[in-house]
Amino acid sequence: MKSQRQAKVLEIISNRNIETQEQLLQELSNAGFHSTQATISRDIKDLHIVKEMTGFGTYRYTTADGDVGSSFSGKLNNIFRECITSFDYAQNMVVIHTLPGLASAAASAVDTMNMSVVVGTLAGDDTVFIVMRDINAAATFCGEIQNLLN
């Protein structure tokens, strides 16, 4: 059932401009797949689905580029360049501000890196909170972000 649902999710986002999980849930329900928001959220992470800006100034779900490498700059380059508006750190905490609706994509990209210096991430609509193991890790991470944005 999971693989069928996930295949339907990919089909839906490739054929329609889906902006929210609620819209995706409704489309899945219309297709006969009854699910919960938590399940859809896990599917989005498993399938590496991100939000991208359309030509009309709105956002839509899409799959991440297949050519994205496993390095820090490869995975985060596209997401960070397009969505970060500001970032800073204090002690071992990093705060990243993004365009509205893109914090989850940025946090998911950080999570997928499986970096041992990242304790965890928390995303809102336009803010990502990252807890690092120590101050040096936070400073280095912000330096990497700055390099990506330049």
Side-chain angles (χ1 to χ4, degrees), residues 6 15 22 24 32 34 45 53 56 67 85 94 99 128 143:
Q6 288 185 345
N15 294 325
E22 291 78 19
L24 184 54
H34 300 287
K45 185 174 182 177
M53 185 175 279
F56 303 106
D67 64 344
T85 58
V94 176
L99 294 171
V128 180

Side-chain angles (χ1 to χ4, degrees), residues 30-41:
N30 294 344
F33 292 87
H34 300 287
S35 192
T36 65
Q37 185 275 330
T39 299
I40 296 305
S41 184

Side-chain angles (χ1 to χ4, degrees), residues 51 53 57-59 83 85 97-104 124-127:
K51 282 191 175 182
M53 185 175 279
T58 60
Y59 296 94
C83 73
T85 58
H97 295 280
T98 69
L99 294 171
L102 294 176
S104 290
D125 183 57
D126 62 357
T127 304

Side-chain angles (χ1 to χ4, degrees), residues 82-103:
E82 298 300 321
C83 73
I84 289 184
T85 58
S86 67
F87 63 93
D88 203 353
Y89 75 98
Q91 299 294 327
N92 67 321
M93 298 169 285
V94 176
V95 176
I96 298 172
H97 295 280
T98 69
L99 294 171
L102 294 176

Side-chain angles (χ1 to χ4, degrees), residues 42-81:
R42 283 189 296 273
D43 287 344
I44 287 170
K45 185 174 182 177
D46 290 347
L47 296 169
H48 303 287
I49 294 173
V50 296
K51 282 191 175 182
E52 71 176 359
M53 185 175 279
T54 68
F56 303 106
T58 60
Y59 296 94
R60 68 181 294 262
Y61 283 117
T62 187
T63 54
D65 292 337
D67 64 344
V68 175
S70 60
S71 69
F72 176 86
S73 61
K75 283 193 179 275
L76 300 179
N77 194 23
N78 292 336
I79 293 172
F80 280 19
R81 278 194 182 175

Side-chain angles (χ1 to χ4, degrees), residues 111-127:
D111 289 340
T112 359
M113 295 301 303
N114 292 321
M115 294 183 291
S116 61
V117 294
V118 175
V119 176
T121 62
L122 180 65
D125 183 57
D126 62 357
T127 304

